[in-house]
């Protein structure tokens, strides 16, 4: 199972960064080509569920792409949100970590992916990985600006 770890420094305190992170329905403002919705409530604790659709925008506000269903498995404000990806395509675990540092925070995004399509998925990962990593890095830079702009 491949693991991806990416970080970005944010010039804001951990509480502000965490609040920006778990404002699930606003993630489309910083996450590349993605809209996020909560399922059955606000998804502000263990057992909460969110759905992220990543893909090309369609008329009417929907997206043509991949649906990523997640269940929150760890919740430690203002430091950690862990999720289990339970969708048909996106499976595995994720961890969003906010670490205090001088002058602000460091946001760490960790994904451990259970690649779809068995051997074909494992063979294709090296081809897909550069674009995936580039998208995550762009999203993290956008997240830093977004979180910094959210005064508490």
């Amino acid at each position: 199972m491949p693991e991806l770890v990416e970080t970005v420094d944010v010039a804001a305190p951990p509480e502000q960064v965490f609040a920006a992170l778990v404002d699930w329905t606003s993630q489309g403002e910083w996450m590349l080509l993605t809209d996020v919705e909560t399922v059955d409530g606000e998804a502000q604790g263990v057992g909460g569920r969110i759905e992220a659709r990543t893909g090309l925008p369609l008329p009417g506000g929907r997206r043509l792409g991949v649906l990523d269903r997640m269940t929150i498995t760890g919740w430690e404000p203002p430091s950690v949100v862990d999720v289990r990806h339970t969708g048909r395509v996106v499976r595995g675990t994720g961890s969003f970590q906010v670490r205090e540092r001088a002058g602000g925070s460091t946001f760490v995004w960790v994904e451990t992916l259970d690649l779809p399509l068995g051997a074909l998925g494992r063979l294709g990962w090296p081809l897909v990985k550069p674009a995936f990593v580039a998208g995550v890095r762009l999203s993290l830079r956008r997240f830093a600006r977004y979180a910094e702009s959210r005064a508490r």
Side-chain angles (χ1 to χ4, degrees):
M1 294 176 69
E3 182 177 77
L4 173 73
V5 179
E6 293 293 331
T7 65
V8 67
D9 288 337
V10 184
E15 295 79 12
Q16 182 174 329
V17 174
F18 190 86
L21 168 66
V22 300
D23 183 358
W24 303 118
T25 58
S26 294
Q27 281 194 358
E29 294 183 37
W30 58 268
M31 195 174 295
L32 185 64
L33 298 173
T34 300
D35 293 318
V36 179
E37 297 177 349
T38 61
V39 178
D40 298 330
E42 295 182 2
Q44 297 293 303
V46 171
R49 295 183 302 142
I50 56 178
E51 294 183 346
R53 183 169 299 277
T54 301
L56 300 174
L58 295 173
R62 299 289 297 160
R63 290 193 182 274
L64 175 63
V66 175
L67 179 62
D68 181 4
R69 291 188 167 119
M70 291 166 269
T71 300
I72 298 171
T73 58
W75 184 267
E76 299 173 32
S79 309
V80 178
V81 177
D82 294 324
V83 299
R84 174 163 301 285
H85 299 280
T86 60
R88 296 181 69 178
V89 176
V90 183
R91 301 191 63 79
T93 60
S95 184
F96 306 108
Q97 303 163 14
V98 180
R99 300 178 182 162
E100 187 171 13
R101 65 170 181 78
S105 306
T106 298
F107 176 52
V108 182
W109 182 337
V110 180
E111 294 286 350
T112 303
L113 303 170
D114 182 5
L115 298 173
L117 306 174
L120 184 59
R122 287 188 299 278
L123 287 171
W125 175 245
L127 300 174
V128 174
K129 183 180 177 181
F132 184 82
V133 169
V136 169
R137 288 178 179 167
L138 174 60
S139 294
L140 286 175
R141 289 190 302 271
R142 291 171 58 172
F143 175 75
R145 290 190 299 274
Y146 172 78
E148 290 165 359
S149 72
R150 290 177 50 116
R152 291 202 93 201

